[in-house]
């Protein structure tokens, strides 16, 4: 009896799944999905070769320092980096005095009031501080950016699919709307105050192009700062902020795989030795 009930329940479940599938097929045939402008013109990120690709990949410290310079001089005016401390920059090759000098370029608000002026007290950042937000709060951030909230960049490359390539493509992807887009979707004109970018999910982005041309940043190491170079450098830097232990994780993975290979070989040799001369 129990088997019969179980069989009937399973049969009913299969029937419901089959019915749902057939109903979906019929609905798709009768009312095919209407193509949208996002589906037609959204582009996947361009694929770039990175030094940290692959199981043996490593960060290029010089590139990370250039990327930090791009963040400091371009991105930090709008975007926070709240999960990164100044002292973390030691991983990029900066010395303790250099980190101290970098931290002092940022000012943070103290949770106290200056008794002489009644204004919030401020101080220079120290190495143990995290990068402060460029805005006092979300309201101030939206007010300064036409209602849009600039995202924190600490984990942006993990929060977006194919993160490193996405950041590079987005920064270099600004362009005028294609004529064929407006011809096929006349109502999809980019609204005033937004910027067309085919690598963004809905094609229209509140952020203006952050990189306005070659030479916008003068690199300390003398590297030529083309728009593409700056985009690559900031994408690499933001990959590091999201995965600062990437190299350690890869080294651990390689060691574990090597151990498992050796263990497998030893186990096989032990098996051959134990069963040598035995009749099956």
């Amino acid at each position: 009896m129990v088997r019969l009930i179980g069989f009937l329940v399973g049969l009913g479940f299969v029937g419901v799944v089959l019915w749902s599938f057939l109903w979906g097929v019929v609905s798709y045939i009768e009312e095919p999905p209407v193509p949208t402008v996002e589906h037609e013109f959204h582009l996947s990120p361009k694929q770039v070769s990175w030094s940290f690709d692959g199981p043996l990949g490593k960060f290029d410290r010089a590139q990370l320092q250039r990327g930090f310079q791009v963040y400091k001089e371009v991105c930090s005016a709008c975007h926070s980096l709240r999960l990164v401390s100044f002292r973390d920059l030691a991983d990029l090759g900066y010395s303790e005095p250099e980190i101290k000098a970098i931290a002092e370029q940022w000012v943070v608000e103290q949770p106290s009031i200056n008794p002489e002026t009644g204004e919030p007290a401020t101080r220079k950042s120290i190495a143990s501080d995290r990068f402060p937000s460029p805005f006092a709060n979300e309201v101030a951030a939206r007010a300064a950016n036409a209602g849009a909230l600039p995202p924190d960049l600490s984990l942006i490359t993990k929060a977006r699919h194919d993160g490193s390539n996405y950041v590079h493509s987005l920064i270099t992807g600004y362009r005028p709307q294609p004529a064929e887009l407006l011809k096929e979707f006349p109502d999809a004109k980019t609204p005033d105050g937004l910027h067309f970018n085919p690598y963004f999910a809905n094609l229209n982005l509140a952020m203006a192009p952050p990189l306005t041309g070659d030479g916008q940043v003068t690199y300390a190491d003398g590297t030529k700062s083309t728009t593409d170079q700056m985009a690559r450098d900031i994408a690499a830097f933001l990959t590091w902020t999201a995965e600062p232990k990437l190299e350690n994780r890869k080294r651990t993975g390689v060691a574990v795989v090597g151990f498992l290979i050796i263990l497998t070989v030893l186990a096989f040799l032990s098996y051959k030795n134990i069963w040598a001369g035995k009749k099956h």
Side-chain angles (χ1 to χ4, degrees), residues 40-254:
E40 294 290 326
F41 290 92
H42 177 64
L43 299 179
S44 299
K46 296 176 287 187
Q47 297 302 300
V48 177
S49 177
W50 304 99
S51 64
F52 46 82
D53 284 340
L56 302 177
K58 296 182 179 180
F59 285 121
D60 179 345
R61 261 54 189 180
Q63 183 177 50
L64 295 183
Q65 290 193 14
R66 293 195 301 269
F68 170 64
Q69 188 175 347
V70 174
Y71 169 77
K72 183 175 66 173
E73 297 185 19
V74 179
C75 308
S76 64
C78 297
H79 294 278
S80 58
L81 210 60
R82 61 184 179 83
L83 299 181
V84 182
S85 300
F86 290 102
R87 61 187 173 192
D88 294 333
L89 296 177
D91 291 343
L92 275 59
Y94 289 104
S95 65
E96 187 174 338
E98 288 175 326
I99 293 173
K100 181 179 179 181
I102 291 171
E104 289 180 348
Q105 296 174 22
W106 270 268
V107 174
V108 295
E109 292 190 355
Q110 298 265 49
S112 61
I113 302 298
N114 188 325
E116 297 179 0
T117 64
E119 297 294 328
T122 60
R123 63 169 174 80
K124 293 181 179 180
S125 296
I126 58 177
S128 59
D129 288 327
R130 294 184 176 182
F131 282 83
S133 172
F135 304 105
N137 50 48
E138 180 178 333
V139 175
R142 291 187 182 277
N145 291 277
L149 179 64
D152 179 80
L153 298 182
S154 304
L155 301 175
I156 195 68
T157 58
K158 291 185 72 68
R160 301 292 185 270
H161 173 67
D162 201 9
S164 304
N165 291 320
Y166 170 81
V167 170
H168 172 265
S169 298
L170 185 75
I171 293 176
T172 59
Y174 291 89
R175 63 193 67 176
Q177 277 190 302
E180 57 268 27
L181 183 153
L182 295 176
K183 182 178 180 181
E184 187 174 349
F185 301 94
D187 296 331
K189 187 178 185 301
T190 298
D192 292 339
L194 299 183
H195 309 272
F196 179 76
N197 192 317
Y199 297 101
F200 192 62
N202 67 1
L203 307 181
N204 298 311
L205 185 59
M207 180 177 70
L211 301 179
T212 55
D214 296 350
Q216 183 175 350
V217 173
T218 302
Y219 282 136
D221 64 0
T223 300
K224 186 177 181 181
S225 57
T226 63
T227 300
D228 183 73
Q229 182 67 57
M230 289 185 286
R232 287 172 182 259
D233 294 340
I234 186 61
F237 172 71
L238 294 178
T239 301
W240 170 79
T241 64
E243 297 189 84
K245 304 301 182 183
L246 176 67
E247 294 172 325
N248 292 339
R249 180 162 54 82
K250 288 186 176 184
R251 282 194 294 266
T252 301
V254 170

Side-chain angles (χ1 to χ4, degrees), residues 6-22:
F7 173 78
L8 292 176
V9 171
L11 185 62
F13 177 77
V14 172
V16 170
V17 172
L18 184 60
W19 171 258
S20 300
F21 174 75
L22 293 176

